[in-house]
Amino acid sequence: MASVPFLQCLRSVGRNSCGNSLASVSVRVMVRKDTKHVLKYTLTHKSHKRTRSRPLPARTIVTRSQCSGRTGFFHRLPAEVFAMILDKLSVLEVSVLSMVSKEITQYTLGYISTLAWKNKTILQSFHHGTRLEQRSTIAHYRDLGLLFKRCTLLLPTKERLKFIFSKFSQIPCLLLEQCLAPDCIGFTSYGVFLQTLIAGWDEVECHRVFNFLSDHTHLLQKIEAVITGKPGVRWYQKMQLRLFCRQVLLDPWPNQPECQFWLTQLLKPWPLVSQAHLLFVLYGPLMSEGTFGWQDLVERGLPHSALWDLARAILLLFGKLEAKCQTANSPLAILEEIIVIPQPWHVENVARLLVLCGSSLCYNVLASKAVNGRLLEISRLMVYIILVCEKDGYHMTWAVKMVQQICKVFSTAPERFCFIQQLENMFSEVTREFFEFSVTGNHLEDRETFQTLCFLLDSSARFHTKFLHMFLK
């Protein structure tokens, strides 16, 4: 009768034989210690003999994803329990979890596709009274941008955009001409969401985003309705277009190349006259009551803060390198169109815009007029540029160097003398105009006009001092 340890040995061998019969293994029980090597040899020899008589089974490779799919923790959870876990996580934590594996990404996509999640997570209230609440909402939409960016990483761009923007298509504060509240931060939140979502995408994908948004919001049709209308008409539609384009597409980008891309996409479908009109709608001066300063640009000089946004947009397009698909004359042509919207501007506003645009663009405008023989126009504009330098605190040396550069445009000494003579005559003429206007009556503008006259006299003295000093060096 076999002993108990022997039976246990048989059971162990039977369990480890991978389905083979115990009869196929030749086991010789040796009592003496010195025969254990014989047992080892017999087992090994017979095992090799058996394996040579049968072909080896085919080896299969199991990938890590297949392995985790079979034995992963989340795989064994019911969908309801997994949803309960996701409910306890923040939006940012869910976005991180979605990158663990493809299977978790699919689970997360299904989770954020539910109406319950949309109603709970996608905030639809954008009319907050405190700054803290506004910052919290904007930060929440930044986290939503990360979540959708990570969850839809494996989808084609078109399906990706369709899935994402279907979640926001019914929120009035995110749509053009649907919200009347003046303190609404819907467009700002939408812009932060979009910027976070597409950060790092290449230009081809960004083109698809712009085309999708244009179709989704009927943007080009709304732009056409605005730029073909008369100034002062459809002011609400113009303000809505300005807010949407600035807060959603343009202002969220901290770097110039990205902002330049979106601005170019907005301008590219239109002719130069319409481009100038659209630039004015997007970046033109606004009055304190929130309306466009159409008439103020025509009737009086505005401070540099009113024109800075417009100058920044022009510099963005044409400052360092001319934008793609633009001809060499595009900056000058668009600028010439802008300064007559709705009517020719007050000369001081034209001069201030040129000063804000910097030396290069200012020189190109003046040199273009010089080549075409428009001396009277150059002289008057140059006098007001000198006045703006005095008013706004710019160094008069800048204006002197600009006059020197313009002189080099003329090829002969008599032409240069004629330009300087016309400039001096224009100083006298503009001074006389300000003086006559200040003494004609008791207008409310008399004090401002007299002050401008004093600025003009001071600027003339400073300009001629610098001008003569440079010649006497």
Side-chain angles (χ1 to χ4, degrees):
M1 185 173 179
S3 62
V4 174
F6 176 71
L7 292 175
Q8 291 175 348
C9 180
L10 287 177
R11 294 192 190 101
S12 176
V13 173
R15 283 196 299 269
N16 296 328
S17 61
C18 302
N20 294 330
S21 174
L22 285 173
S24 65
V25 181
S26 177
V27 180
R28 301 179 186 271
V29 181
M30 301 297 175
V31 180
R32 290 198 306 271
K33 239 181 205 184
D34 55 275
T35 59
K36 65 181 180 179
H37 297 295
V38 178
L39 175 62
K40 278 187 182 180
Y41 172 78
T42 307
L43 284 171
T44 306
H45 176 72
K46 298 221 172 187
S47 174
H48 280 295
K49 192 173 181 180
R50 184 181 66 250
T51 55
R52 281 196 294 268
S53 62
R54 296 183 181 181
L56 288 172
R59 298 179 65 185
T60 57
I61 299 175
V62 180
T63 63
R64 184 181 298 175
S65 60
Q66 290 172 334
C67 183
S68 62
R70 294 175 187 174
T71 60
F73 172 75
F74 291 108
H75 178 75
R76 298 195 296 267
L77 287 177
E80 295 81 3
V81 176
F82 187 69
M84 292 172 63
I85 294 173
L86 294 179
D87 282 337
K88 299 298 182 181
L89 302 179
S90 67
V91 172
L92 191 59
E93 289 168 339
V94 173
S95 73
V96 175
L97 179 62
S98 68
M99 296 188 294
V100 170
S101 67
K102 291 182 181 179
E103 190 172 13
I104 299 299
T105 301
Q106 294 301 320
Y107 271 123
T108 309
L109 274 176
Y111 170 72
I112 66 177
S113 298
T114 61
L115 184 61
W117 180 86
K118 178 181 175 181
N119 293 336
K120 185 189 80 168
T121 311
I122 298 183
L123 302 178
Q124 301 189 28
S125 176
F126 299 96
H127 308 150
H128 302 297
T130 66
R131 290 277 185 179
L132 184 62
E133 291 174 332
Q134 291 178 355
R135 286 197 296 267
S136 176
T137 300
I138 292 171
H140 179 74
Y141 267 78
R142 183 178 288 108
D143 292 344
L144 283 175
L146 274 176
L147 173 62
F148 281 99
K149 183 188 189 81
R150 291 166 173 172
C151 282
T152 61
L153 192 62
L154 302 177
L155 297 177
T157 303
K158 187 175 290 187
E159 293 181 23
R160 198 177 188 183
L161 295 173
K162 188 176 180 181
F163 173 80
I164 292 170
F165 289 100
S166 65
K167 309 301 176 189
F168 304 93
S169 59
Q170 303 301 321
I171 302 177
C173 291
L174 305 184
L175 303 176
L176 273 164
E177 303 175 15
Q178 296 296 318
C179 179
L180 301 175
D183 59 342
C184 180
I185 60 168
F187 288 161
T188 303
S189 303
Y190 203 23
V192 169
F193 169 83
L194 181 65
Q195 189 268 338
T196 307
L197 174 69
I198 66 174
W201 289 20
D202 60 32
E203 192 169 316
V204 175
E205 290 178 316
C206 290
H207 273 290
R208 291 172 182 163
V209 173
F210 179 79
N211 293 334
F212 183 89
L213 276 177
S214 298
D215 296 338
H216 183 68
T217 60
H218 308 291
L219 182 61
L220 296 182
Q221 292 90 327
K222 294 180 185 296
I223 290 176
E224 185 178 14
V226 163
I227 62 179
T228 54
K230 295 181 179 179
V233 181
R234 302 172 65 96
W235 68 269
Y236 173 71
Q237 286 80 3
K238 290 176 180 176
M239 280 302 303
Q240 279 285 295
L241 180 65
R242 178 189 177 108
L243 291 174
F244 181 84
C245 292
R246 290 281 300 270
Q247 296 178 4
V248 177
L249 300 177
L250 299 170
D251 292 349
W253 298 98
N255 299 321
Q256 285 192 357
E258 289 86 354
C259 189
Q260 185 188 70
F261 168 81
W262 291 104
L263 185 55
T264 304
Q265 297 307 306
L266 289 169
L267 297 176
K268 191 164 56 175
W270 314 107
L272 285 177
V273 176
S274 299
Q275 287 184 21
H277 199 149
L278 181 57
L279 264 181
F280 189 91
V281 169
L282 296 179
Y283 291 100
L286 294 178
M287 298 298 98
S288 56
E289 60 272 16
T291 58
F292 288 93
W294 303 104
Q295 286 305 120
D296 290 333
L297 282 167
V298 176
E299 296 171 356
R300 63 186 182 90
L302 297 181
H304 75 280
S305 57
L307 296 170
W308 169 240
D309 280 351
L310 187 57
R312 185 169 62 89
I314 295 172
L315 284 173
L316 183 65
L317 285 174
F318 314 112
K320 293 182 180 179
L321 294 174
E322 292 180 359
K324 295 179 180 178
C325 303
Q326 301 287 341
T327 63
N329 294 323
S330 294
L332 306 183
I334 290 180
L335 194 58
E336 291 287 350
E337 293 295 338
I338 287 176
I339 61 177
V340 295
I341 297 175
Q343 295 172 358
W345 288 9
H346 192 287
V347 186
E348 184 177 335
N349 292 324
V350 179
R352 182 165 281 113
L353 181 63
L354 289 177
V355 171
L356 289 172
C357 286
S359 302
S360 178
L361 192 58
C362 182
Y363 168 77
N364 286 332
V365 171
L366 295 176
S368 175
K369 295 180 185 297
V371 169
N372 294 321
R374 297 156 69 178
L375 286 185
L376 190 65
E377 190 176 346
I378 300 173
S379 302
R380 189 172 188 83
L381 192 52
M382 196 66 229
V383 168
Y384 274 92
I385 286 175
I386 294 168
L387 175 62
V388 167
C389 288
E390 180 67 24
K391 272 188 171 184
D392 296 351
Y394 294 99
H395 288 291
M396 196 57 68
T397 306
W398 184 87
V400 172
K401 289 182 178 179
M402 185 61 63
V403 172
Q404 284 184 312
Q405 287 181 310
I406 299 302
C407 283
K408 293 177 183 178
V409 175
F410 302 103
S411 56
T412 64
E415 289 178 334
R416 288 192 287 271
F417 177 77
C418 185
F419 168 62
I420 296 298
Q421 187 179 40
Q422 185 67 54
L423 183 62
E424 295 300 325
N425 291 338
M426 189 57 67
F427 263 114
S428 300
E429 184 177 335
V430 173
T431 303
R432 188 163 50 250
E433 287 176 1
F434 276 113
F435 178 75
E436 290 174 354
F437 187 80
S438 64
V439 298
T440 51
N442 293 321
H443 300 288
L444 293 176
E445 297 86 0
D446 283 351
R447 183 182 296 274
E448 184 180 348
T449 304
F450 183 75
Q451 188 177 15
T452 302
L453 175 61
C454 294
F455 274 121
L456 180 61
L457 295 173
D458 290 340
S459 66
S460 176
R462 290 179 187 275
F463 171 78
H464 288 97
T465 301
K466 290 286 184 182
F467 197 67
L468 291 172
H469 181 255
M470 294 188 76
F471 275 106
L472 293 174
K473 278 185 178 180

